[in-house]
Amino acid sequence: MSSPNISKTGAEQLPDTLPINQASLRAGAIQTTPKPPYHSPPLGDSPHGLEEHGNDDAEGLGRVFTRPNYSVFTKPQKYYICFLAAWGTFFSPLSANIYFPTLTTLAKDLKVSDELINLTLTSYMIFQGLAPTVFGDLADMVGRRPAYIVGFIIYIAANIGLALQNNYAALFVLRCLQSTGSSGTVALGNGVIADIATSGERGTYIGYVQFGGMTAPAIAPIIGGILSKFLGWRSIFWFLTIMSVVYLIIFVISFPETGRNVVGNASVPPQGWNMSVINYLQTRATRQDQEAQHSADQEETKRAQQELASKRKLKWPNPLKTVHIVMEKDVGMLLVFNGIVYTAFYAVISSIPYLFAQIYGFNDLQIGVRS
């Protein structure tokens, strides 16, 4: 059976058995124009960080949604967040080690024994271990920014008190408060990195954040020795006060909320004291521009904020939540090992000022340089 003779010049010679849609297409009787592909907005412009991609086929099937970005922060923003988090972790080891060159001087000025002064080191370390469990739980409930702000308010108040105190009891209590305010920043810094970085990126960013905590013990005794030698031991606490006030001002103005229980992947605008000053000004300007129109995006944002807020319940922080981690074999072994190393380190470093002063007659500056 021969195939039908189909002319290229017209549709009148098409066979009757040919489906009408194919015949019409060949004859040009039915013109079809494929829908133009949907062009996705730039990364981070879609609501809640969803990536939208247009279908490139001729049918133009519409929008295709992929999974949300883990975080909508840009890489420069992440580096800036890491910088402030690293600066925050700098204060706890700085406050602990800047104190060493003045131990003998404090014992003489307050007229107490060396053993009593050493108790202020012990109390500092105890609260240095307890504070992260409290502030970590607080940050998980209300967000990172409020936890940072509360911690630094306590820290600043303690430093002012330490600079003004004249008796041992005040020194002991205020050192505990100083440790409480500053030590939570270590846990908070790690939490911030978990908020903004995927597991593949996290190691790099954690290294940046830990840089502050690793650097402080090396330079703190030198700073403490210089200040104590030329300006007196009270200048150490005024130095810490000024430095922490500067940090807190920069933090309040520019540090964005990263807590995923507050802003999700940072696509949901923060509210209340979770907002930085920059966030507040941006939100106010946007609200003034859009107050004449009621968009679906605004409704979507409000729903997302309400949904996240409904999951947060403010209650007293429970430090015991972290105890179960010790029961895990691998983590427990690491904690025990690090605890032994840390204990040996402080046993040596706390005795150096007294030995150097008694044996070699070193002053505070010489002790600080050699500690």
Side-chain angles (χ1 to χ4, degrees):
M1 181 176 178
S2 61
S3 60
N5 185 18
I6 301 175
S7 174
K8 297 181 181 180
T9 59
E12 63 277 359
Q13 298 184 17
L14 288 170
D16 296 335
T17 58
L18 192 65
I20 186 168
N21 60 337
Q22 296 183 22
S24 301
L25 285 172
R26 292 194 183 187
I30 301 176
Q31 298 293 329
T32 61
T33 303
K35 297 179 182 179
Y38 175 79
H39 296 285
S40 62
L43 184 62
D45 288 353
S46 57
H48 311 299
L50 289 173
E51 295 184 54
E52 301 179 6
H53 299 286
N55 199 344
D56 293 333
D57 62 4
E59 297 296 332
L61 295 178
R63 302 180 186 184
V64 176
F65 291 91
T66 61
R67 69 170 59 184
N69 298 317
Y70 185 82
S71 175
V72 299
F73 286 118
T74 63
K75 186 157 282 190
Q77 287 175 320
K78 290 181 179 180
Y79 284 139
Y80 181 73
I81 291 170
C82 284
F83 166 71
L84 284 183
W87 189 2
T89 61
F90 186 75
F91 285 96
S92 180
L94 175 69
S95 303
N97 292 275
I98 201 172
Y99 185 67
F100 289 130
T102 66
L103 293 180
T104 55
T105 304
L106 274 170
K108 293 176 182 177
D109 286 358
L110 299 180
K111 297 179 175 60
V112 295
S113 65
D114 295 342
E115 290 76 15
L116 286 177
I117 291 295
N118 277 341
L119 282 180
T120 63
L121 300 177
T122 305
S123 63
Y124 189 96
M125 287 188 289
I126 291 173
F127 281 84
Q128 195 175 36
L130 294 177
T133 63
V134 176
F135 279 95
D137 194 29
L138 178 64
D140 289 339
M141 289 188 290
V142 301
R144 312 301 183 197
R145 275 180 57 85
Y148 266 105
I149 292 171
V150 169
F152 271 94
I153 289 174
I154 295 172
Y155 180 70
I156 291 169
N159 281 319
I160 294 173
L162 285 165
L164 298 175
Q165 55 81 26
N166 289 302
N167 61 78
Y168 176 77
L171 175 69
F172 185 88
V173 172
L174 290 170
R175 279 286 287 177
C176 295
L177 287 177
Q178 184 191 42
S179 178
T180 300
S182 63
S183 301
T185 57
V186 178
L188 293 176
N190 292 334
V192 166
I193 298 306
D195 293 334
I196 66 173
T198 63
S199 58
E201 303 171 313
R202 208 162 290 165
T204 301
Y205 289 115
I206 285 288
Y208 296 150
V209 171
Q210 294 300 325
F211 175 79
M214 297 296 103
T215 306
I219 64 175
I222 300 175
I223 297 173
I226 293 173
L227 291 173
S228 180
K229 170 66 176 177
F230 297 105
L231 298 175
W233 61 265
R234 295 181 190 275
S235 64
I236 291 176
F237 301 112
W238 287 122
F239 169 79
L240 294 175
T241 300
I242 295 170
M243 188 174 177
S244 55
V245 167
V246 171
Y247 175 82
L248 185 59
I249 291 172
I250 296 173
F251 182 91
V252 170
I253 292 174
S254 62
F255 190 86
E257 177 59 65
T258 64
R260 301 185 74 84
N261 60 331
V262 178
V263 295
N265 63 351
S267 60
V268 179
Q271 295 177 300
W273 66 338
N274 293 102
M275 299 175 67
S276 67
V277 174
I278 292 176
N279 286 148
Y280 172 76
L281 295 176
Q282 290 175 340
T283 303
R284 185 177 178 182
T286 304
R287 188 178 302 159
Q288 290 175 347
D289 293 339
Q290 297 181 347
E291 60 184 6
Q293 58 182 348
H294 191 70
S295 65
D297 287 347
Q298 289 174 317
E299 289 296 328
E300 183 72 17
T301 297
K302 289 181 180 179
R303 283 196 297 269
Q305 288 175 332
Q306 292 171 356
E307 181 181 353
L308 288 171
S310 64
K311 297 178 181 178
R312 299 194 303 271
K313 294 182 179 179
L314 183 59
K315 56 185 179 180
W316 189 257
N318 181 14
L320 298 179
K321 286 184 178 180
T322 58
V323 174
H324 71 277
I325 299 178
V326 182
M327 304 304 173
E328 299 181 12
K329 293 181 180 180
D330 51 348
V331 178
M333 292 176 64
L334 288 172
L335 289 175
V336 170
F337 176 78
N338 286 328
I340 294 173
V341 173
Y342 200 63
T343 301
F345 169 75
Y346 261 87
V348 173
I349 199 71
S350 62
S351 62
I352 285 178
Y354 304 111
L355 295 175
F356 281 0
Q358 292 174 5
I359 298 174
Y360 303 109
F362 285 172
N363 58 35
D364 291 349
L365 176 58
Q366 292 171 321
I367 292 172
V369 171
R370 289 164 174 80
S371 292

